[in-house]
Every structure is written in C-alpha cells, then in structure tokens.
Amino acid sequence: MAHDISPLAQPFPAIPPIAGVTPRVARAGYKDWGRCDLTYVELAEGTAVAGVFTRNVCCSSEVELGRQNVAQGRARALVVNAGNSNAFTGYRGREAVEAIMAQVSAHLGCPPEQVFVSSTGVIGVPLPKDKAKAGIEAALLAQPCDWETAANTIGTTDTFAKGAMAQAVIDGRTVTLGAIIKGSGMIAPDMATMLGYIFTDAAVEPAFLQALLSAANQQTFSCITVDSDTSTSDTVLAFATGAAGNAPLASFDSPGADAFAAALNDVCRQLAHLVVRDGEGAQKFIAVTVSGAVSDESARKVGLAIANSPLVKTAIAGEDANWGRVVMAVGKAGELADRDRLSIGFGGSWAARDGQPLADYDEAPVAAHLKGQDISIEVDLGLGEGRATVWTCDLTHGYISINADYRS
C-alpha cells in the first residue's frame, strides 16, 4: 500500500471476533514489499459457504476451483495471497493452488475442497510453490490477528484497509457479520477486482446463503465500477459458522431470515462503496441514480454506461457540470431511451427536463455540489418504473500514474 491514502478513505470499523472464525497472517514473500502477504482464516467444522465469482473467461485457477468447490456447501479454511494473481498461468498455477489446498486440508483433517484459495496481484506469473508452502506453514503457527491486520494483508494497490460490520437478531439471538475486502482498480461489475470475504456466526443453510449472496451481489458489487475492466480473480465468499446457535435459516420462511438478509445486503453495500472510495486516483465518490427506465436491469445498464464513461468521469474530476456528456452516455447504453423525455440533474438540481435545458437553469448550486467529495448524478428516462443506483469515482491523473508503473 505504497500510494497516498485516498481522500475518500473511511476508518476501519470495530469488528468483534466472530465465533468459529480465526484469522492469521504470515509473510510468504510473493512480492518484495516487506510486509505480510498471506491471510489464513480457519473456520469451525460445519461452516456453510457461498460464493460469487468473476465472469472474466481468462479467470484464475483459484476462481475455477472456488466455483467448483462452493457447490459442496462447506468450508474449513480460506487462504488469500497478495502480490501474485496466479492468473493466466496454466497447469503450473493450478498445481500451486491444489498444493495449498492439500497442505491446509492435511493440517485440518478435512477434504481439500473445503479449503478456499484466492490470489491477487500481477497476472501471468505462476504462484511459487516453495514460497506458498513456507507461507502456509508460518500462517498455521501464527498467533490469531485482528480484522484490520487481515484486511491490510490482502491489499495490493489499496490505500486503506476496508472492513464492514452489521448485526441482526435471529430467534432472539444477536448474530454478527464481519467482512473485509480488497480492491481499488480493474473494478467493474460482473464484480469488481475485488476479493471480499464475509463471516458470520449465524447458522444458515448453504443453498439459502448462496441465494442471499447472489441477490446482494446484484444490488451492490455488480453496481460498482472504477474503470470498466473486469478482473480475472474477482471473488466474494460468505461463511456462516453456525456458532450463534440459532435454528439454521433455510428460506425466507425461517424466523429472522429477513433481518439476516438485510444485514448481509448492508455489509455488501458498505464493502462495495469502500472499493469505489479507494478507486485508483479517486478524488470523488459518484452515485448515479437512473429512474424512469423500462426495467430495473435497463436502468442499471444505463447507469453503468454513465459511470464507465471516461468523458463523464473526467468532467466530474474537473468539477464541470457538462450534462451533455451524460446525454451521450445514456444514448450509447444500448437501452431504450427517448431524447425528448430525458431529464438530467446533479445533486438534486435539474439541469435539463424533457430533453431540453431548463429555461431558468442556475448552474451555481450544481457547481457548488461538484466541488464536494460525494457527487450525485440523477437521470430520469421518463419511460417506466425501472430504477437503479450504481457507484463509481472520478478519473484523474492519479489513475494513470498508478497503472503506468503497476509492475515496476
């Protein structure tokens, strides 16, 4: 985390220990940066797991194996490597992941498919097996650590540690959700370059946990973008240890299921916003709200076209209320739109209504809004009831600087 801390950074929350979850960190030395780069989390027997993964077809072996293994529904351990994404590394990359799974499963006495591995960093370099083996050995012997240490360890170009916490009452028992995430560039839906991990002591059946996580993903992680690039390694995993002792949640008919789902959505939204707030070079956090679309999905696609537009993002960076760029982005989205019904605003002030600039448009409140750090763009298509909000950041010189020297 060599870069200056993002001006949009948020403090790391107080996440309490979660029963059945033990995080540890170690230094495997995947990159010469003099810090811990391996996070190992041990999970109680019987822990349920669910996951959502990148749709990038050049994904890593970690993603391929994770996607296969999440189907069996149980987890005993998580290993996250930083500094090497192990993507585009062929059979050597896969062998390295399988070796890590075998080493941890032998230690815990569990099936290898209950060991989940993620890697993040430079693409195209096989994960060194000797460093992985030594790093895992060190992690197995390490003292348990706090969540902020675990979050710092999985970062790459991140400028601050990211975590989230929420609680819910199920059946009279308070359950806790604690989560960490990394990600700051190559971020786009279908999930961001992002590795996120959610841990809870609630008892949840794996199939229901998967349904809840997939639904939360659609509303949160799949609604953020930093630069429109979809990474090879994106993963979000949720682990439920059951240590809280509630009757396992199996469907929305289970008492407390609604409260748990709301807490999970809350945690996912917090994490998604933190990733955007650490967008490479970001100076402004932008919420794009699209209403009046023919469907929610259409609204989301229009929102992403705006949020991914370099012209819109650079205008916001320059604090320029150039709403013509928003019109352009709406028109290129490939979704139903009508120029003569389109309305565009910034920070609650409309600049154009029904396809025309307002006769009495006053740019002063809009200009004042754009000088802030939290920016909102509102678009009403005037066609239907569909709506969505997506989140992005501005595009600055800092993004180029970070990515021009990423490998050096």
Side-chain angles (χ1 to χ4, degrees):
M1 303 195 189
H3 304 286
D4 293 338
I5 293 176
S6 166
L8 307 175
Q10 303 278 296
F12 196 85
I15 304 176
I18 291 170
V21 184
T22 311
R24 297 179 168 92
V25 299
R27 188 178 297 185
Y30 293 121
K31 191 173 171 182
D32 185 20
W33 49 16
R35 67 166 177 86
C36 288
D37 54 3
L38 188 152
T39 294
Y40 167 72
V41 184
E42 195 168 312
L43 302 158
E45 279 190 59
T47 294
V49 62
V52 285
F53 300 89
T54 183
R55 294 183 189 174
N56 189 308
V57 294
C58 294
C59 65
S60 64
S61 294
E62 285 84 338
V63 167
E64 286 178 337
L65 287 161
R67 202 180 273 134
Q68 284 172 29
N69 294 343
V70 85
Q72 50 80 41
R74 299 291 170 190
R76 284 299 314 281
L78 168 69
V79 177
V80 189
N81 307 303
N84 180 326
S85 80
N86 198 37
F88 205 64
T89 52
Y91 73 91
R92 289 178 298 171
R94 189 177 180 99
E95 284 177 355
V97 184
E98 288 174 339
I100 290 170
M101 290 164 62
Q103 185 179 355
V104 175
S105 69
H107 172 77
L108 294 176
C110 70
E113 59 268 22
Q114 291 188 9
V115 178
F116 289 80
V117 183
S118 299
S119 299
T120 178
V122 173
I123 293 171
V125 180
L127 198 70
K129 293 180 195 169
D130 53 341
K131 289 184 177 178
K133 188 167 190 290
I136 295 288
E137 279 177 10
L140 295 176
L141 297 170
Q143 288 297 309
C145 68
D146 61 26
W147 288 113
E148 188 167 6
T149 300
N152 270 313
T153 299
I154 65 175
T156 49
T157 57
D158 302 64
T159 71
F160 65 96
K162 304 174 185 66
M165 199 275 283
Q167 291 182 316
V169 177
I170 302 176
D171 226 5
R173 298 168 194 260
T174 298
V175 301
T176 302
L177 294 84
I180 58 174
I181 199 164
K182 66 81 54 182
S184 64
M186 212 190 292
I187 298 288
D190 294 344
M191 304 213 5
T193 297
M194 194 184 79
L195 300 178
Y197 307 99
I198 301 159
F199 304 92
T200 179
D201 54 3
V204 189
E205 291 295 343
F208 188 49
L209 187 62
Q210 183 63 57
L212 293 177
L213 182 63
S214 295
N217 172 55
Q218 275 303 105
Q219 301 285 316
T220 58
F221 301 119
S222 286
C223 289
I224 62 173
T225 179
V226 166
D227 52 18
S228 86
D229 283 336
T230 301
S231 148
T232 53
S233 306
D234 306 333
T235 299
V236 173
L237 293 168
F239 302 97
T241 68
N246 61 288
L249 303 177
S251 74
F252 277 112
D253 294 332
S254 304
D258 288 338
F260 180 79
L264 180 64
N265 280 355
D266 178 24
V267 163
C268 290
R269 189 176 298 106
Q270 289 181 56
L271 294 178
H273 287 190
L274 289 169
V275 170
V276 171
R277 286 183 175 278
D278 205 12
E280 290 168 345
Q283 301 286 317
K284 296 180 187 293
F285 178 82
I286 307 167
V288 181
T289 300
V290 178
S291 58
V294 291
S295 68
D296 290 353
E297 184 56 22
S298 181
R300 189 175 80 94
K301 287 178 178 171
V302 171
L304 288 171
I306 298 165
N308 278 325
S309 164
L311 288 175
V312 172
K313 289 153 73 76
T314 48
I316 299 297
E319 300 175 353
D320 176 14
N322 188 341
W323 54 268
R325 292 183 175 182
V326 180
V327 174
M328 170 279 299
V330 171
K332 74 167 185 176
E335 293 297 310
L336 277 175
D338 181 340
R339 180 196 63 200
D340 297 332
R341 296 188 185 190
L342 185 59
S343 302
I344 294 167
F346 298 90
S349 300
W350 292 105
R353 300 272 345 201
D354 302 321
Q356 298 184 49
L358 287 180
D360 57 352
Y361 172 50
D362 178 7
E363 198 166 297
V366 173
H369 176 69
L370 292 181
K371 290 200 180 311
Q373 284 189 338
D374 284 51
I375 308 300
S376 67
I377 300 174
E378 298 90 25
V379 173
D380 188 340
L381 299 177
L383 298 175
E385 300 297 314
R387 60 181 298 121
T389 301
V390 303
W391 298 278
T392 189
C393 56
D394 55 344
L395 185 57
T396 68
H397 295 287
Y399 179 86
I400 297 167
S401 303
I402 290 166
N403 284 290
D405 68 3
Y406 179 62
R407 292 201 312 161
S408 48

